[in-house]
Amino acid sequence: MHYLTRSPLPTLEDRIVDHLAKAPATRSQLCEALDTSRTNLGRALTTLLDEGSVTPVRTNAPGRGRPTQLLTLNSSAAHCVGLNVTRTSCAGVMLSRAGTVLAAVHIVSPSSPSLQLSLEQTCEALAASAAHQGIDTSTVRAVGVGVPIPMGRNARLSSDAYPIMEELSELTRRWWAPLPIVDNTVRMAALAEAMWGAGTQMSSFIYLRLSGGVGGCVVSDFRLVGGAGGLAGELGHMTVNASSSPCACGKRGCLETVASLPALCEHAGVSDIAQLRSRVLAKDARACEGLDRAVAAIGYVLGCAALLINPGAIILAGEIVDAFPSVLAAVSARMHEELLPVMQWDIDVVGASLGPLGAARASASIASHS
């Protein structure tokens, strides 16, 4: 439940792959270039050869003695799969051992009515894309899945509302053999921002996604933290004065009942984000009131969280931020009202820079390094 937001030190296998990505090489050349012994190189190469990431090729050079064996990357071999399912979209990526994206799919507004069926639709589409490109999926060694449900160790999941882990594993293993590593969608999206997006090189930040629900998480000291039970950062379920509505979590008055896309649409009397945006641009009173109420509640919650952990930045993501970029400045202003006025606070509120495919890539990365 805790993930480093900086890339781990490369293993010898990683260094071999990086070197072969530039050009094929012999064992002797690899030993010299990587400054390692023949024995250590042999162990690492055995792993790469067994998993199909590296392929030996015999040269046709004339001369006496045993032909020289060149080693090259298998460019058509998939090493890991990352899947990410939200309430509004699904994404999947297939990566090589070198981290190259071999296949990717993004499904907006999946037709499937349940999490399992949405995940199945994503797996099927990704497998079809890989097959169309001639990618070898028998070499897949890791599968990561992000799902929009609580994933803490003590989370009590109703079988009627959420699938159990065994059901998710059984589903993905129809296509790829490894047992999947499963975590929350928002955590995977935040990890992607930390490694490759708006949070790159940031030691600490709060990530908050405003979409079909409201989910958050915390990065502290270059580590995405889960807390004692893996539930740290559930800011969407902090109680706000702006609402007393029932929440899907079982409480009343959660931030999610004010600041999620369904809550804003219901308040404005519209059915989707496009209609909501049109109403706000037309200065419709109810739509603008709902958005202002959401901004105030978000700013309040983030201000309380900032007093607790003093992050370097706030990263806001989701369809609401994409549709209304002005909420970044508005949330920042409201958040600063909660902070100590006698202190200097350098907390930037910025938008996320990566989409669903970034979160899927993070799922793949976590699985391949676990």
Side-chain angles (χ1 to χ4, degrees):
M1 289 295 179
H2 301 273
Y3 304 121
L4 290 175
T5 61
R6 291 188 288 192
S7 299
L9 292 175
T11 64
L12 181 55
E13 288 86 351
D14 294 332
R15 295 169 61 206
I16 292 171
V17 167
D18 288 343
H19 191 82
L20 293 181
K22 301 168 187 172
T26 64
R27 292 172 185 259
S28 295
Q29 289 169 337
L30 286 172
C31 285
E32 182 177 356
L34 302 179
D35 191 24
T36 189
S37 69
R38 191 90 175 187
T39 300
N40 288 336
L41 182 78
R43 293 195 189 102
L45 278 176
T46 296
T47 299
L48 295 172
L49 290 165
D50 287 347
E51 70 184 27
S53 298
V54 170
T55 303
V57 179
R58 292 192 182 279
T59 66
N60 295 320
R64 301 176 62 185
R66 186 176 180 180
T68 303
Q69 187 184 65
L70 276 177
L71 299 166
T72 185
L73 285 185
N74 183 355
S75 59
S76 65
H79 179 69
C80 56
V81 168
L83 305 161
N84 203 61
V85 179
T86 74
R87 302 179 192 182
T88 55
S89 71
C90 304
V93 297
M94 193 171 287
L95 307 180
S96 70
R97 187 64 168 74
T100 303
V101 177
L102 301 177
V105 295
H106 180 209
I107 304 170
V108 179
S109 299
S111 58
S112 305
S114 69
L115 190 158
Q116 295 102 307
L117 292 176
S118 293
L119 181 59
E120 182 178 13
Q121 183 181 0
T122 309
C123 291
E124 188 172 1
L126 184 62
S129 176
H132 179 72
Q133 299 177 67
I135 296 169
D136 182 4
T137 59
S138 67
T139 56
V140 169
R141 291 295 181 268
V143 176
V145 182
V147 289
I149 57 178
M151 294 306 302
R153 287 194 295 271
N154 300 317
R156 297 190 299 272
L157 302 183
S158 165
S159 59
D160 294 333
Y162 302 124
I164 60 175
M165 297 290 289
E166 288 77 6
E167 291 174 325
L168 296 177
S169 297
E170 183 179 348
L171 195 156
T172 61
R173 296 185 79 189
R174 295 181 202 168
W175 287 273
W176 309 289
L179 282 170
I181 302 297
V182 184
D183 208 324
N184 181 265
T185 290
V186 170
R187 287 165 58 79
M188 294 300 95
L191 184 62
E193 293 293 340
M195 297 180 72
W196 312 296
T200 304
Q201 300 304 317
M202 287 187 185
S203 64
S204 68
F205 64 82
I206 294 173
Y207 178 93
L208 191 69
R209 180 173 177 81
L210 309 169
S211 183
V214 176
C217 59
V218 175
V219 167
S220 178
D221 193 22
F222 293 106
R223 186 181 294 271
L224 196 156
V225 297
L231 297 172
E234 287 287 349
L235 301 180
H237 298 289
M238 288 181 64
T239 304
V240 294
N241 292 330
S243 173
S244 60
S245 300
C247 181
C249 73
K251 291 173 55 184
R252 283 185 173 271
C254 293
L255 176 62
E256 187 168 299
T257 67
V258 176
S260 66
L261 182 55
L264 285 169
C265 287
E266 181 181 0
H267 187 83
V270 298
S271 59
D272 58 39
I273 188 72
Q275 293 179 14
L276 178 64
R277 176 174 163 78
S278 296
R279 290 284 183 91
V280 170
L281 291 177
K283 302 192 182 304
D284 175 80
R286 284 189 60 80
C288 291
E289 177 195 15
L291 188 59
D292 290 343
R293 185 178 67 156
V295 165
I298 295 165
Y300 166 75
V301 166
L302 289 175
C304 293
L307 285 170
L308 182 64
I309 68 169
N310 188 23
I314 307 290
I315 298 178
L316 294 183
E319 291 92 336
I320 295 172
V321 179
D322 295 339
F324 307 106
S326 62
V327 303
L328 295 171
V331 165
S332 178
R334 180 63 185 85
M335 177 189 72
H336 278 82
E337 293 176 9
E338 299 297 325
L339 304 179
L340 294 174
V342 295
M343 305 296 291
Q344 181 68 39
W345 298 87
D346 297 318
I347 305 176
D348 295 326
V349 178
V350 300
S353 62
L354 301 176
L357 289 174
R361 181 183 171 195
S363 297
S365 177
I366 286 300
S368 64
H369 288 98
S370 67

